[in-house]
Amino acid sequence: GSGRAKRAGAGARGSGTPPSGAVSKPTARGGRAAANQGGFGMGYVGRNSMHIPHGNTALSVKADEERLNTITDEKERKRLKRLLRNRVSAQQARERKKAYLASLEQTEAQKANRLHELENRVTTLERENQMLRQVIQTVTRRAVPPNASDFQVPAM
């Protein structure tokens, strides 16, 4: 298998037991959760482990980058750096998606407004058309007398 699969399942994450030295506390489901590993206040989530907290502010990212500089294990530093890059990238993707959705909503609102205007125009034109048909009908009735045979033109 791949190294990723091994890394994803590495450590005590799947076993339900915290690593040695970790303090565990009861969870809402009756299990145990490790408390406050690595000084990040996020609980145990992986091997050895310091965990970069989920923050979406530039301040949080900067603080996380500063914490990375304190890590001496090169593999762990690279892993955390990759996680941080991934988090920043994910946040940027969420922001792009949000902007795209706002753009779609604006376009939809404009099209709905245009549709309403066109529906009103169609209604107006239908009324006008109906009135003109009535006018034509009235004029035609007046032009042709009801008993046209009464008004025969004498032959010459």
Side-chain angles (χ1 to χ4, degrees):
S2 75
R4 279 185 193 218
K6 287 180 186 174
R7 273 183 265 148
R13 190 175 8 188
S15 70
T17 58
S20 60
V23 178
S24 65
K25 58 184 175 184
T27 64
R29 291 190 171 169
R32 310 281 293 164
N36 212 359
Q37 282 296 307
F40 285 100
M42 296 302 292
Y44 179 74
V45 293
R47 62 187 199 200
N48 295 356
S49 196
M50 287 178 60
H51 174 70
I52 297 175
H54 295 284
N56 57 0
T57 65
L59 202 57
S60 175
V61 170
K62 190 169 187 169
D64 291 342
E65 288 173 345
E66 290 173 5
R67 287 184 193 124
L68 280 175
N69 294 332
T70 64
I71 299 172
T72 56
D73 181 24
E74 191 59 31
K75 276 180 117 174
E76 185 66 5
R77 183 193 332 267
K78 285 183 179 181
R79 185 183 76 82
L80 292 175
K81 200 171 182 181
R82 177 179 48 83
L83 288 175
L84 182 60
R85 277 194 318 265
N86 188 43
R87 184 168 302 120
V88 169
S89 178
Q91 181 62 32
Q92 289 171 342
R94 284 189 292 272
E95 289 170 1
R96 282 191 308 270
K97 181 180 179 181
K98 189 176 180 181
Y100 174 70
L101 288 176
S103 169
L104 284 180
E105 288 169 352
Q106 181 181 13
T107 301
E108 190 272 337
Q110 290 171 344
K111 289 186 177 189
N113 188 33
R114 179 71 175 144
L115 177 63
H116 183 68
E117 290 172 0
L118 291 173
E119 286 171 341
N120 288 341
R121 179 82 172 130
V122 165
T123 302
T124 303
L125 290 173
E126 285 175 343
R127 285 185 191 144
E128 184 180 338
N129 194 10
Q130 184 62 29
M131 282 190 338
L132 291 173
R133 286 177 191 269
Q134 287 175 352
V135 167
I136 290 172
Q137 197 174 32
T138 304
V139 169
T140 305
R141 282 186 191 149
R142 287 184 186 161
V144 178
N147 291 328
S149 58
D150 293 345
F151 301 99
Q152 291 183 7
V153 179
M156 288 199 204

